[in-house]
Every structure is written in C-alpha cells, then in structure tokens.
Amino acid sequence: MSENQQAIQHIVSMEDLTTEQVLKLIKRGIEFKQGEKLVYQDQHLVSNLFFEDSTRTHKSFEVAELKLGLDMVDFDAKTSSVNKGETLYDTILTMSALGVEVCVIRHSQEDYYRQLIASPTITASLINGGDGSGQHPSQSLLDLMTIYEEFGHFEGLKIAITGDLNHSRVAKSNMQILKRLGAELFFAGPEEWRSQEFADYGNFVTIDEIIDQVDVMMFLRVQHERHESGTSFSKEDYHAKHGLTQERYERLKEKAILMHPAPVNRDVEIADHLVEAPKSRIVKQMTNGVFVRMAILEAVLAARKAQ
Ligand code: CP
C-alpha cells in the first residue's frame, strides 16, 4: 500500500482539495506512470458525460478507466434525452439510479456540481472535467505533476500564465493552487481579457517583460467559442504581441519549460514549429493526464468503499 493512496469523495474544484490531497494525487500519478499496477477485480461502473467538446480530458479519462479495469457506461449528449429537454440534474440522477458509481462531467454551466453534490438522491461520485470558465481540476493536477517532475518542488518557482485569462478554467484552477504551493505568479496577455481576481494571485506583466525570468511559461488557448462578439485582433496580431515566437523562445532560461493545456491554436499562442520544441512539455502534459486521472479515480472509488 502506497502512502499516497487516499480517499476523496468528489473531485470538482482545486479550492476544495487540501494541499496534502493535491500532493498525494500528483505523487500517486507519478507512481502509476512508473509502472504501479492497479486493476479492480469487482465491477465498478463509470460514465464520462461530456456536454462540451473534448479530446484530451475525455479520452484520457477513458484510457485511465481501461487501465484500472473499470466498466464504462457510454454516454453521448448528442443522442441522449438532453435533446428532449432533460436537465443535467435528471441525467445524473438517472445514471446514479442505474448504478453508475462515478460520473466524470464536462458542462458549460459554472459550478454545476454544487447542486448535484447537495442532492440526497444522487449517490454517484462526481469528477469535474471542466465547468464553463470555472474549474478544471484534472488539468490542473496534470499540470502540477508535469511541473513537479521537472523541478521536484513548487516553492519559489516563477510561473507566468498568459492569454485568455478570463475565460480560462485552467488559469483559475492553477493560480489558486500554485500560489498555495509557494510559486510566484505573473499574468500576461491582452488587457481586455484580465479581471481583478487575478491581481490577488500575482502581478500583471507583458510577455516581453517576463519571458527571460520565468521557470514555467504557461500559454492558454484563445477560446473563440466563448467570445460572444469575436476578438478585436487578427491571429497574426495576437501572435506578434502575445504569442511564443522564435525570438521569445530564445530568451527563455536554459532550464525553463513551456506548457499549454491544448488544443493549441498553432501560430496563434505558439509558433507551429515550437509546439514540440525541446523546452515544450505539451506532449508530456497529455501523457501525464492519463496517470493523474488514474489517481483521481482511485481516490474517489476509495471514498465510496470507506462509506
Ligand atoms: N486541455 C483540455 O481540457 O483539452 P480537451 O478540451 O481536449 O479535453
């Protein structure tokens, strides 16, 4: 039995996790990556309910579930009774009534999980795969795992998060936990995409002021689908002012890494040829997603067993 095994009832927000729980989840993810085996012998039904599009989160939860020997109950929002007006609450209530133990949910409504957790009839455990512009805890945990593998600590690291801050559940999840873990944070990107909430966690800068000082340069996707009136600049303008160009890449410190939750808008946030450059950890982030999600599923199932 590993000291990093633990029981957590729901994993919906980084704010709800203690620092100890976070560190154990990433260390458990590293154990799985290093070859630790866990295959459940009893049947456990898990359903991945994605009401917003996803490649990485959805498929890496599936891979994690396959590796753990869990049984997946297929759900496709496009062919479900959602199209007859069924609410999210009633969909999850139904899954729970069918015996699904864990629901991994992505939904556009911020904080959707609070109402579900409060329900006395919904017995399924919840894992938040992203709620609107709210939280994305499994992405945050895989980002932390990637940083921890690189540096072995968080205290004192200089980390810049740049891009579409207001719309980014990745930025919000990461800024909260990274500050708690002792990192020094900077925020860059267009001024119209910043709100005051970020000022509580770090300093606003331009990419050119900070790029040669940071240990981690974290780029965010421009979320065109959440910009109701479109963006006020071309992709070429954005790239020139805020993106990772070859010139900026060359200013990164020798040991600095660049990260992006992906999907990357190539030649917008990051020049096409730099997405897989030596300092990029973007592919590693995707790989780590499988292992940290195994740790998340294990913790949630352990909490059910303990009940
Ligand atoms: N990073 C991330 O959440 O990617 P997907 O939207 O493809 O899941």
Side-chain angles (χ1 to χ4, degrees), residues 20-172:
E20 186 188 3
Q21 285 173 328
V22 168
L23 292 173
K24 282 189 172 188
L25 283 166
I26 62 178
K27 287 177 186 171
R28 188 67 179 145
I30 291 170
E31 286 173 2
F32 283 126
K33 188 174 179 182
Q34 289 172 345
E36 171 90 359
K37 290 268 180 293
L38 173 66
V39 180
Y40 289 93
Q41 301 303 319
D42 301 339
Q43 186 181 60
H44 294 286
L45 300 178
V46 177
S47 191
N48 303 314
L49 301 104
F50 280 70
F51 297 87
E52 279 193 331
D53 296 343
S54 167
T55 303
R56 274 145 294 275
T57 312
H58 193 166
K59 295 300 144 188
S60 60
F61 265 113
E62 274 187 21
V63 175
E65 288 152 10
L66 287 168
K67 282 178 179 280
L68 292 171
L70 302 171
D71 289 307
M72 271 178 259
V73 177
D74 186 39
F75 175 83
D76 179 2
K78 293 189 180 73
T79 58
S80 78
S81 287
V82 168
N83 298 319
K84 302 177 205 164
E86 184 174 72
T87 61
L88 174 64
Y89 181 91
D90 284 333
T91 303
I92 305 307
L93 182 66
T94 303
M95 286 294 175
S96 187
L98 297 180
V100 171
E101 290 183 56
V102 181
C103 290
V104 179
I105 305 170
R106 173 172 287 188
H107 200 276
S108 59
Q109 187 191 322
E110 263 177 57
D111 287 346
Y112 69 80
Y113 42 83
R114 299 280 173 219
Q115 182 202 18
L116 306 179
I117 289 172
S119 165
T121 10
I122 291 178
T123 54
S125 305
L126 303 186
I127 297 173
N128 180 14
D131 59 300
S133 301
Q135 285 276 318
H136 195 349
S138 65
Q139 177 71 43
S140 183
L141 288 162
L142 76 86
D143 289 344
L144 295 179
M145 177 173 159
T146 307
I147 295 169
Y148 188 80
E149 279 186 326
E150 197 74 30
F151 299 99
H153 66 97
F154 298 96
E155 186 75 37
L157 290 180
K158 288 188 179 206
I159 300 180
I161 305 178
T162 184
D164 197 347
L165 293 165
N166 278 345
H167 291 108
S168 177
R169 51 199 176 206
V170 178
K172 288 167 198 163

